């Protein structure tokens, strides 16, 4: 029933995700370029990978911070009240590694949410093995964290469901748009196509092998000179009329060759969303090289 509901809200998403999951449309690729740069000591380049231009990044970060603060406060309180049997120390390693996804793949905002869920699950499993009185004490932290995160998440969840449902077959529209512009963006095989992570799998599905706009190599001028097209999506831009631009994007170096008919989702004369939440993209073509 859940899969049917997902397919109804976002037609075509399950098929595309299956293609990525099984590598039938994408090959086995990972996005660890920024972490590799960090290992090489290039901190500034790694810093560019943080999705600081996306409103969703700060909301996701807040959801991760909340349980960390709550449980650190409970652990400190337990330490001062009961030094002989300090059970809270067992929770500290999981709190310490909870921001790991930000370090490994800074541009993946959704991974921060996954880290938050895993943190709460791990803490819950440890709490179950504590003495009953202490388990009740830390369970309050679980309940409080879940309540606060749910209150933060609810309006965004409603917004996204309404917007994506209204957008309907946007993934199908996006695929048709990419097929139309595929010849333009692939006429020279020595040149790259840069796509947002959201529309990356659709390009792969139609037989194009792009690099994501978060690819660390795009901070290198030599790679800029081999960039033929850029495909940018709207989610995360915090603006109905503008897509999410990468940090290295220079408007005077690109020509806009396609923009979707957005926004088109409204409710009682008000926009449901401050981000279109569709798969469609603005497509830019390189018009001159960086100097």
């Amino acid at each position: 029933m859940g899969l049917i509901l997902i397919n109804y809200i976002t037609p075509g998403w399950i098929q595309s995700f299956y293609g990525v999951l099984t590598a039938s449309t994408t090959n086995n690729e990972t996005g660890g370029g920024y972490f590799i740069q960090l290992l090489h000591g290039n901190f500034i380049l790694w810093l560019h990978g943080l999705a600081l231009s996306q409103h969703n990044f700060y909301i996701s970060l807040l959801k991760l911070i909340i349980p960390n603060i709550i449980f650190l406060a409970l652990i400190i309180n337990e330490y001062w009240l009961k030094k002989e049997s300090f059970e809270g120390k067992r929770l500290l390693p999981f709190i310490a590694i909870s921001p790991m996804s930000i370090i490994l793949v800074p541009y993946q905002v959704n991974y921060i949410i996954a880290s938050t869920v895993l943190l709460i699950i791990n803490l819950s499993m440890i709490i179950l093995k504590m003495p009953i009185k202490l388990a009740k004490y830390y369970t309050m932290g679980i309940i409080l964290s879940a309540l606060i995160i749910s209150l933060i998440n609810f309006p965004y969840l409603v917004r996204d469901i309404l917007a994506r449902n209204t957008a309907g077959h946007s993934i199908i529209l996006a695929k048709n748009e990419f097929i139309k512009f595929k010849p333009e963006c692939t006429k020279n095989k020595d040149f790259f196509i840069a796509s947002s992570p959201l529309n990356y799998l659709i390009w792969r599905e139609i037989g194009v092998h792009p690099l994501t706009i978060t690819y660390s190599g795009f901070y290198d001028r030599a790679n800029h000179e081999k960039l033929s097209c850029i495909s940018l999506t709207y989610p995360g831009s915090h603006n109905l009329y503008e897509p999410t631009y990468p940090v290295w994007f220079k408007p005077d170096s690109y020509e806009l060759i396609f923009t979707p008919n957005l926004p088109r989702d409204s409710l009682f004369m008000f926009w449901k969303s401050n981000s279109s939440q569709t798969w469609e993209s603005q497509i830019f073509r390189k018009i001159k090289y960086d100097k």
Side-chain angles (χ1 to χ4, degrees):
M1 289 177 64
L3 291 175
I4 292 171
L5 182 62
I6 291 172
N7 197 53
Y8 173 75
I9 295 173
T10 314
W13 183 87
I14 292 176
Q15 294 87 334
S16 296
F17 179 75
Y18 178 79
V20 175
L21 186 66
T22 60
S24 60
T25 59
T26 60
N27 296 328
N28 297 310
E29 297 168 337
T30 58
Y34 283 101
F35 180 62
I36 292 172
Q37 291 295 326
L38 183 62
L39 292 177
H40 289 164
N42 197 340
F43 176 75
I44 298 300
L45 185 55
W46 172 85
L47 198 62
H48 284 312
L50 294 173
L52 300 178
S53 61
Q54 295 188 30
H55 177 71
N56 294 345
F57 172 76
Y58 299 99
I59 299 299
S60 300
L61 192 60
L62 180 62
K63 293 174 186 176
L64 179 62
I65 290 172
I66 285 168
N68 277 304
I69 291 177
I70 290 174
F71 274 93
L72 282 173
L74 291 173
I75 291 168
I76 292 170
N77 187 56
E78 187 212 344
Y79 175 76
W80 289 111
L81 292 179
K82 197 174 182 181
K83 293 184 180 180
E84 316 82 48
S85 176
F86 180 38
E87 295 284 334
K89 62 179 179 294
R90 297 163 60 187
L91 306 175
L92 292 174
F94 294 96
I95 293 174
I97 65 171
S98 62
M100 191 59 69
S101 66
I102 302 174
I103 298 171
L104 296 175
V105 276
Y107 60 88
Q108 284 285 7
V109 175
N110 289 335
Y111 287 9
I112 304 176
I113 302 296
S115 297
T116 304
V117 174
L118 288 172
L119 172 65
I120 293 176
I121 290 173
N122 284 322
L123 296 183
S124 300
M125 293 173 69
I126 296 172
I127 289 168
L128 286 173
K129 297 181 179 181
M130 290 182 177
I132 187 68
K133 190 173 181 179
L134 201 56
K136 289 181 178 180
Y137 169 77
Y138 279 111
T139 298
M140 291 190 301
I142 295 287
I143 295 172
L144 184 59
S145 298
L147 180 62
I148 295 174
I149 291 173
S150 297
L151 289 174
I152 293 172
N153 198 52
F154 182 74
Y156 292 96
L157 180 64
V158 172
R159 179 201 73 175
D160 289 352
I161 290 174
L162 290 174
R164 286 170 180 166
N165 186 47
T166 303
H169 291 73
S170 74
I171 192 170
I172 297 172
L173 292 173
K175 189 181 296 184
N176 292 335
E177 293 158 5
F178 295 167
I179 290 172
K180 177 182 176 182
F181 288 97
K182 178 181 175 180
E184 172 70 23
C185 294
T186 58
K187 59 186 178 182
N188 189 331
K189 293 185 179 180
D190 293 332
F191 278 62
F192 301 133
I193 297 174
S195 70
S196 295
L198 182 67
N199 60 33
Y200 171 84
L201 60 90
I202 305 177
W203 281 105
R204 292 303 304 258
E205 200 169 343
I206 64 170
V208 178
H209 291 227
L211 293 170
T212 67
I213 59 172
T214 56
Y215 168 59
S216 57
F218 282 134
Y219 289 92
D220 187 338
R221 177 185 170 185
N223 288 328
H224 265 280
E225 294 178 352
K226 297 188 70 176
L227 189 59
S228 57
C229 287
I230 306 176
S231 175
L232 303 177
T233 53
Y234 289 77
S237 67
H238 200 50
N239 187 326
L240 276 168
Y241 300 93
E242 297 288 342
T244 302
Y245 296 103
V247 177
W248 45 262
F249 181 81
K250 296 181 179 179
D252 58 348
S253 298
Y254 302 93
E255 174 188 10
L256 179 63
I257 59 175
F258 176 77
T259 188
N261 183 24
L262 296 170
R264 61 172 173 273
D265 50 335
S266 60
L267 179 66
F268 305 125
M269 302 304 293
F270 294 97
W271 299 122
K272 297 176 188 175
S273 166
N274 55 6
S275 179
S276 66
Q277 298 298 328
T278 73
W279 297 77
E280 297 162 272
S281 307
Q282 275 194 358
I283 301 177
F284 295 84
R285 175 175 55 200
K286 186 82 170 182
I287 55 176
K288 64 179 181 180
Y289 297 147
D290 299 328
K291 296 181 179 178

